[in-house]
Amino acid sequence: LVRQRRKEYSDWIKSLSESDASDVEYEKCRHKQRCDDLNERTKSLAFDKDVPNWLRVLSLTLIISSTALYLHGHILEPMVSVSLEIRVVGSEALRQTLTDLTIVDIVKLLWNFNEK
């Protein structure tokens, strides 16, 4: 995929006029200079001495717990439930859950779909 994107980008650059291609190259250089300058002048939250340790630990804890809650709610919990319901006139309906599918199960089914 990366090679394909690079080839598409290279083809796109070749399709531009000379002035447009030089403008794109100039903007790439400016962007790299700005990124390098920003990296030299600033520190990350984890290494900045002005940030207290309790705030660093709290930030890390919040990020990890938010990620865990997201994964629990979106990946591990059932996304699809297949049920069977039978109704006969004059009696109660019989309802039974056949299977619960999580997002992981669905991805596995789709991944293996062409192999069958």
Side-chain angles (χ1 to χ4, degrees), residues 25-61:
E25 191 62 34
Y26 173 74
E27 286 300 322
K28 275 178 56 177
C29 289
R30 275 191 61 221
H31 177 73
K32 184 174 179 352
Q33 287 173 349
R34 285 194 310 260
C35 288
D36 291 343
D37 180 52
L38 190 61
N39 286 336
E40 287 177 16
R41 289 186 298 117
T42 60
K43 297 178 189 173
S44 70
L45 175 70
F47 298 112
D48 193 351
K49 298 298 180 198
D50 295 332
V51 178
N53 285 337
W54 67 267
L55 186 57
R56 294 181 205 181
V57 172
L58 178 66
S59 300
L60 181 62
T61 305

Side-chain angles (χ1 to χ4, degrees), residues 26-105:
Y26 173 74
E27 286 300 322
K28 275 178 56 177
C29 289
R30 275 191 61 221
H31 177 73
K32 184 174 179 352
Q33 287 173 349
R34 285 194 310 260
C35 288
D36 291 343
D37 180 52
L38 190 61
N39 286 336
E40 287 177 16
R41 289 186 298 117
T42 60
K43 297 178 189 173
S44 70
L45 175 70
F47 298 112
D48 193 351
K49 298 298 180 198
D50 295 332
V51 178
N53 285 337
W54 67 267
L55 186 57
R56 294 181 205 181
V57 172
L58 178 66
S59 300
L60 181 62
T61 305
L62 287 173
I63 290 170
I64 291 172
S65 62
S66 296
T67 304
L69 286 172
Y70 175 82
L71 291 175
H72 177 69
H74 290 87
I75 293 182
L76 303 175
E77 291 296 313
M79 299 293 283
V80 176
S81 181
V82 179
S83 301
L84 175 67
E85 184 174 332
I86 300 175
R87 292 182 184 223
V88 179
V89 176
S91 66
E92 281 190 32
L94 172 67
R95 183 178 208 149
Q96 182 175 0
T97 300
L98 299 177
T99 185
D100 290 326
L101 297 174
T102 65
I103 194 72
V104 174
D105 298 329

Side-chain angles (χ1 to χ4, degrees), residues 1-11:
L1 183 64
V2 173
R3 287 183 191 157
Q4 180 182 355
R5 297 284 180 187
R6 285 182 184 161
K7 183 177 179 344
E8 289 172 359
Y9 178 77
S10 177
D11 292 344

